Amino acid sequence: MPIPDEVTGEEIDRSVRQELMSLPKTLAEDVAKNLVMVARLLDEDPERAYEYSKVALRLASRVGAVREAAGFAAYGVARYAEALNEFRAARRMMGSTHLWPIMADCERGVGRPERALAMAGEPEVKQLDRAGQVEMRLVAAGARRDLGQADAAVVTLQSPELASTAVHPWTARLRYAYADALLAVGRESEAREWFAKALEADQGGTTNASDRLAELDGIEFVDALDPELDAELDQDAED
């Protein structure tokens, strides 16, 4: 896989560089460059990120950070069973619980929501930081909905973090999930209120709360560059 000349490998996190010090210098540099490409492409081109992760994995499969990156890359292209295997390997090597929520979400991805719910009740959850615990709550609510337990999903999301007026990186997603869960059980007015709260907190545009609000308000957006729309307008003008 080609790597741009400006990528040196120094861009990766210091803790990852320390892990790579166990490798010969040239090999460590090659692995680091591929990990940089995974991080760069994960959102904009997940398939290419996945390919770079496979290169890194081939070069250094015994490095925990490489297995973790491969897990995220596989997760990004919906290869959930593969992602779960990589995350499990990374967790064994690194001894950390921070991957617990995404591992649970992988269980949902492979069709085992009941396993995701079981993981939400495991002792590892108590070792997560606040952001991780919120993420686990989101996964558990999703698992409830997978199982057709829509009302339970609403209850699962009710928490001090949801009630707080403080805005954190996860606030918009939590409020959005709660609004969506409310809508699923027919509580439309409450859902609208929470979509609005999600929009207020969504400084990075991580949700489509504005679109959901527009839907609830009966507003339909039209693409001004749509050629089919232009043809319709021309026909109306002729008529």
Side-chain angles (χ1 to χ4, degrees), residues 105 108 113 116-117 120 134-158 174 177-178 181:
D105 205 38
R108 289 182 61 209
L117 279 178
V134 169
E135 196 64 39
M136 193 72 242
R137 191 175 291 276
L138 288 167
V139 173
R144 289 290 186 192
R145 293 185 66 173
D146 293 343
L147 293 167
Q149 301 169 5
D151 288 304
V154 172
V155 174
T156 298
L157 292 167
Q158 293 170 347
L174 179 61
Y178 188 58

Side-chain angles (χ1 to χ4, degrees), residues 12-163:
I12 61 174
D13 186 83
R14 180 182 300 176
S15 62
V16 178
R17 288 204 302 272
Q18 289 177 337
E19 274 198 78
L20 295 179
M21 287 176 64
S22 62
L23 303 174
K25 183 178 179 181
T26 301
L27 179 59
E29 290 175 355
D30 288 343
V31 174
K33 290 177 181 180
N34 279 281
L35 292 181
V36 170
M37 296 306 296
V38 173
R40 282 190 176 186
L41 296 168
L42 202 54
D43 292 329
E44 64 183 65
D45 193 343
E47 285 290 348
R48 285 184 66 210
Y50 176 75
E51 293 302 322
Y52 279 105
S53 78
K54 299 301 283 186
V55 175
L57 194 60
R58 187 172 67 250
L59 295 173
S61 63
R62 296 185 180 182
V63 176
V66 172
R67 302 302 289 267
E68 181 175 333
F72 278 107
Y75 181 87
V77 291
R79 291 178 169 89
Y80 298 116
E82 185 177 335
L84 185 57
N85 287 336
E86 297 301 338
F87 288 140
R88 283 172 175 166
R91 185 167 177 267
R92 286 195 301 271
M93 294 174 179
M94 302 164 75
S96 173
T97 59
H98 71 281
L99 294 171
W100 198 252
I102 196 168
M103 289 169 62
D105 205 38
C106 287
E107 294 285 4
R108 289 182 61 209
V110 297
R112 296 193 293 258
E114 68 287 346
R115 175 59 189 147
L117 279 178
M119 290 178 69
E122 295 289 342
E124 285 83 355
V125 177
K126 294 182 180 179
Q127 301 174 36
L128 296 170
D129 60 16
R130 195 177 182 194
Q133 291 186 2
V134 169
E135 196 64 39
M136 193 72 242
R137 191 175 291 276
L138 288 167
V139 173
R144 289 290 186 192
R145 293 185 66 173
D146 293 343
L147 293 167
Q149 301 169 5
D151 288 304
V154 172
V155 174
T156 298
L157 292 167
Q158 293 170 347
S159 62
E161 290 82 10
L162 181 68

Side-chain angles (χ1 to χ4, degrees), residues 218-236:
I219 299 173
E220 182 178 353
F221 292 102
V222 176
D223 184 354
L225 301 178
D226 186 345
E228 292 186 6
L229 176 63
D230 290 340
E232 289 178 13
L233 291 174
D234 291 341
Q235 185 61 47
D236 289 342

Side-chain angles (χ1 to χ4, degrees), residues 154-212:
V154 172
V155 174
T156 298
L157 292 167
Q158 293 170 347
S159 62
E161 290 82 10
L162 181 68
S164 174
T165 57
V167 174
H168 300 277
W170 38 260
T171 300
R173 291 177 57 240
L174 179 61
R175 292 177 180 179
Y176 181 94
Y178 188 58
D180 197 44
L182 288 169
L183 195 59
V185 295
R187 294 161 62 176
E188 186 172 313
S189 62
E190 292 174 83
R192 193 199 181 287
E193 175 188 349
W194 281 97
F195 277 129
K197 289 182 177 181
L199 183 59
E200 288 175 4
D202 195 359
Q203 300 170 354
T206 58
T207 74
N208 66 338
S210 60
D211 293 340
R212 301 299 296 278

